[in-house]
Amino acid sequence: MEGRGHVIRTVLIGAGSGASYFLAGLEKLKAREIEPVGIPLVNYMKAHRPEDIDVVAVYDVDNSKVGRDMYSIASKLSPFSSVPKTLKDIVVSRGLHCGSLRGLEVDASGLEDALGSPQQALEEFISELVKLKPDVIVNVITTEPMRFVESEGEFVKLASTCSAGATLAYIYAASEYSLRTGNPVAFINLTPPAAANSPGVVSRFERAGALVLGDDAATGATPLTADLLEHMAERGRRVLSVAQFNIGGNTDFLSLTEPERNHSKEVTKSSMVADILGYDAPHYIRPTGYLEPLGDRKFVAMHIEYESFGGFRDEVIVNARINDKSNLAGLMASIVPVAKSLLERGIHGSYATVNRFYMKMPGPRGTKNISKIVAYQDLLKELKKLDII
């Protein structure tokens, strides 16, 4: 088992706002220009800490980003008045497209376009992983349509031919890297497509001794909704309806104007209601629109109507502006050290206790959503037992 301070070699998939906030903030944290505010568990970590993270590569398919350094990209996409110049050392490489941006107004091409076939592209990407020797791979690409894979054979067939989107192709590459080299990697899926919720994916990662965590990062309105539902459940109140919607102005919300992508997000955001309450109250929980001036600070509105003792009805109404990218960056700075520590302790397949806290739709399949407050306490207990915190 590696000791504290061992570098966590990390690969980022996606060079958008999420990566920009994370990289700029991480460099500022290492330089002690900012405090570790907004990083879950940071006051408990002892096996590895955010400062141990070393991003060794970033991949994207947007032709306006490929070949550019993250300093120039983050200077436009992150809100920091000064972006660390150390990001000039990180140049974006071309990744796998697999149709992930199809239908969006983005000039994009992947390794498969350059090399002529998905199979060649995957082999090239796996070869790059062999050179990079990553410990952790983090997926923060634009939301793709959701697809579940039931068996390992189905997973290999679809992913190896780029037939089920970029996320599954990257996950396949991570599993192949682990199998071929004997160096297990942790793949963290912070987007909606089913990774940790696909039995075929989890089975392959178990066989490879690798770890897949997911799905879809719980960063803003969703954990707040979950905790309010827990509040209702604990007090014996009956929830009559839940309405929660988000409108944002970044490329993620633009992509969600496409129905298939929006449905993926709706599934991950809505999965918690019945799990927490014990019954499926009528609900409408989904991203609902794109308005460019809102930028990364999305507008959130929430309404919960419930029945209390005596049949009386009350309501909770919440309005908020939430910067999902800032919250996502803090979550990334927390889950990467945790994932590395789990690998060192032989945890493989997936890990429900971690997923319940960090994700909207926690895997593996059958894992019930619980409120993030309860999930946090459970996670503390588990990580203490494993001597991670």
Side-chain angles (χ1 to χ4, degrees), residues 350-368:
S350 196
Y351 198 63
T353 308
V354 168
N355 295 333
R356 280 196 185 104
F357 176 67
Y358 288 103
M359 306 295 174
K360 291 185 181 77
M361 190 173 72
R365 182 180 294 175
T367 300
K368 275 197 167 186

Side-chain angles (χ1 to χ4, degrees), residues 12 23 29 41 43 47 133 209 227 249 287 305 338 367:
L12 296 186
L23 286 167
L29 182 65
L41 301 176
N43 293 325
K133 297 181 173 62
D227 290 340
E305 186 173 15
V338 168
T367 300

